[in-house]
Amino acid sequence: MDPLLEKELELAAKRKGITKSQFIVEAVERALGRKDPAALYRQVMDEAAHHHVAEGVPDDALPGHKAALRTSLRAAHAGQQDDYAAYLAQRKRTSD
């Protein structure tokens, strides 16, 4: 293998946190159609759609730091949802 190509392989594998061999196997699987990134994305999104954050352990049953983290994450998520709704409204106004 060309030394520059091997160095790129080494760096790419390191970025993904896998060995060069694992990186090569994944590349061959994708090339042969055994691994379809789009299908994997759809599968993850389908599974995420059925996941309900509010279910499970109630906040008051969690240790303080975990309850605080959950509260912080919920607030951040609500803010992102509000920002996205505002973006969609603005986009609709400019397209009309």
Side-chain angles (χ1 to χ4, degrees), residues 20-79:
K20 291 191 295 185
S21 296
Q22 289 170 316
F23 189 92
I24 291 169
V25 168
E26 286 183 6
V28 171
E29 286 176 335
R30 279 192 308 274
L32 295 176
R34 292 186 182 174
K35 271 195 174 176
D36 179 10
L40 178 59
Y41 174 77
R42 286 189 300 274
Q43 177 187 353
V44 167
M45 294 307 288
D46 287 344
E47 290 173 6
H50 301 319
H51 181 72
H52 301 285
V53 175
E55 292 180 1
V57 179
D59 289 352
D60 57 355
L62 291 172
H65 67 284
K66 288 187 178 182
L69 176 60
R70 183 185 277 181
T71 301
S72 173
L73 290 172
R74 283 187 178 143
H77 182 260

Side-chain angles (χ1 to χ4, degrees), residues 3-20 23:
L4 291 176
L5 184 60
E6 186 169 1
K7 187 63 178 176
E8 283 185 69
L9 167 64
E10 182 181 328
L11 293 173
K14 191 173 191 175
R15 278 192 303 271
K16 288 186 76 175
I18 60 176
T19 67
K20 291 191 295 185
F23 189 92

